[in-house]
């Protein structure tokens, strides 16, 4: 338990410092100071600054949450299921907004970080493709390309989240709830035979 608490402190200190200074300017010494640990402790737990960021990406991945939702709460009704997934996805993105925005701030500067971050939507895409395949096998949807459908679902939700996170209500005054209900209704109609 103490190891998890220490690791959590190191991850949070890293995120705070990257948000404040950027990835390159964040040193393991500064992370150790902010986390209240020795620099040696950082290397013992993670080995490198990059490994801390990889651990943070895994910690903040929403894929396990959405996979669990599919396993436990799906009712095989496209509109209801997609609304549930979109709501969980949006709520989770809002809860880790600062971390997501760090990813955009640092995008392209460190390809190895981009690779780690790209794994999250890639895994989500695969989970959604599997759900759509099962829905097709049940005769509940018709879609010429499940990968495109999964990406469209991800992009319509992530795009709204980013717009709201960066621009507030300047683009749209719709509530998250109104946006999700209406966008899922439109999306679902396009896949219903």
């Amino acid at each position: 338990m103490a190891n998890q608490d220490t690791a959590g402190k190191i991850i949070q200190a890293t995120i705070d410092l990257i948000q404040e200074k950027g990835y390159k300017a964040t040193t393991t010494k500064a992370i150790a100071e902010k986390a209240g640990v020795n620099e040696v402790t950082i290397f013992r737990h993670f080995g490198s600054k990059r490994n801390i960021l990889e651990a943070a990406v895994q910690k903040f991945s929403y894929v396990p949450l959405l996979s669990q939702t599919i396993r436990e709460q799906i009712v095989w009704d496209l509109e209801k299921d997609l609304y549930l997934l979109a709501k969980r996805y949006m709520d989770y993105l809002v809860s880790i907004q600062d971390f997501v925005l760090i990813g955009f701030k640092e995008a392209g500067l460190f390809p190895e970080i981009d690779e780690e971050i790209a794994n999250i939507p890639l895994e989500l895409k695969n989970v959604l493709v599997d759900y759509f395949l099962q829905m097709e096998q049940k005769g509940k949807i018709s879609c010429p390309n499940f990968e495109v459908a999964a990406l469209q679902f991800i992009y319509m939700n992530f795009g709204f989240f980013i717009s709201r996170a960066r621009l507030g209500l300047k683009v749209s005054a719709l509530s998250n709830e109104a946006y999700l209900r209406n966008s899922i209704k439109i999306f679902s109609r396009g896949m219903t035979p």
Side-chain angles (χ1 to χ4, degrees):
M1 186 69 166
N3 280 344
Q4 289 177 344
D5 290 343
T6 301
K9 286 179 187 177
I10 293 168
I11 289 170
Q12 190 58 54
T14 303
I15 290 168
D16 292 347
L17 288 168
I18 290 173
Q19 185 176 6
E20 184 184 318
K21 300 177 178 189
Y23 180 77
K24 191 172 185 174
T26 297
T27 64
T28 54
K29 183 178 179 178
I31 294 168
E33 187 176 303
K34 185 155 185 81
V37 298
N38 260 314
E39 195 171 7
V40 171
T41 303
I42 289 175
F43 293 110
R44 190 170 353 119
H45 278 271
F46 296 101
S48 70
K49 182 171 72 170
R50 178 182 176 190
N51 290 347
I52 300 169
L53 195 58
E54 287 174 10
V57 168
Q58 287 305 309
K59 177 182 176 181
F60 292 114
S61 173
Y62 42 77
V63 175
L65 172 70
L66 295 182
S67 294
Q68 179 184 7
T69 300
I70 287 175
R71 281 191 315 275
E72 297 174 1
Q73 296 181 321
I74 291 301
V75 296
W76 304 108
D77 175 296
L78 186 64
E79 191 171 329
K80 288 179 182 176
D81 292 345
L82 291 183
Y83 173 76
L84 176 64
L85 291 170
K87 176 92 171 90
R88 292 267 167 91
Y89 181 47
M90 187 69 68
D91 289 348
Y92 194 71
L93 286 173
V94 167
S95 77
I96 62 166
Q97 179 174 315
D98 290 343
F99 183 72
V100 174
L101 293 176
I102 287 170
F104 276 95
K105 180 180 174 185
E106 300 292 330
L109 297 176
F110 304 96
E112 66 276 7
I113 295 169
D114 291 345
E115 288 175 30
E116 287 300 319
I117 292 171
N119 284 330
I120 296 173
L122 175 64
E123 290 174 31
L124 177 56
K125 178 189 79 167
N126 293 337
V127 167
L128 288 168
V129 165
D130 185 58
Y131 167 76
F132 292 145
L133 283 168
Q134 291 181 58
M135 286 292 283
E136 182 184 55
Q137 290 167 357
K138 294 175 183 291
K140 298 191 174 216
I141 65 170
S142 174
C143 179
N145 190 313
F146 293 122
E147 181 178 10
V148 170
L151 290 171
Q152 188 62 39
F153 178 83
I154 293 167
Y155 297 156
M156 77 177 181
N157 289 294
F158 192 73
F160 184 78
F161 161 76
I162 286 296
S163 176
R164 185 57 49 90
R166 293 283 294 130
L167 304 170
L169 300 175
K170 292 176 183 165
V171 175
S172 173
L174 282 173
S175 67
N176 286 0
E177 176 74 15
Y179 173 78
L180 292 175
R181 289 258 178 230
N182 287 287
S183 65
I184 294 303
K185 185 178 292 284
I186 293 165
F187 185 87
S188 297
R189 285 183 184 164
M191 295 181 75
T192 304

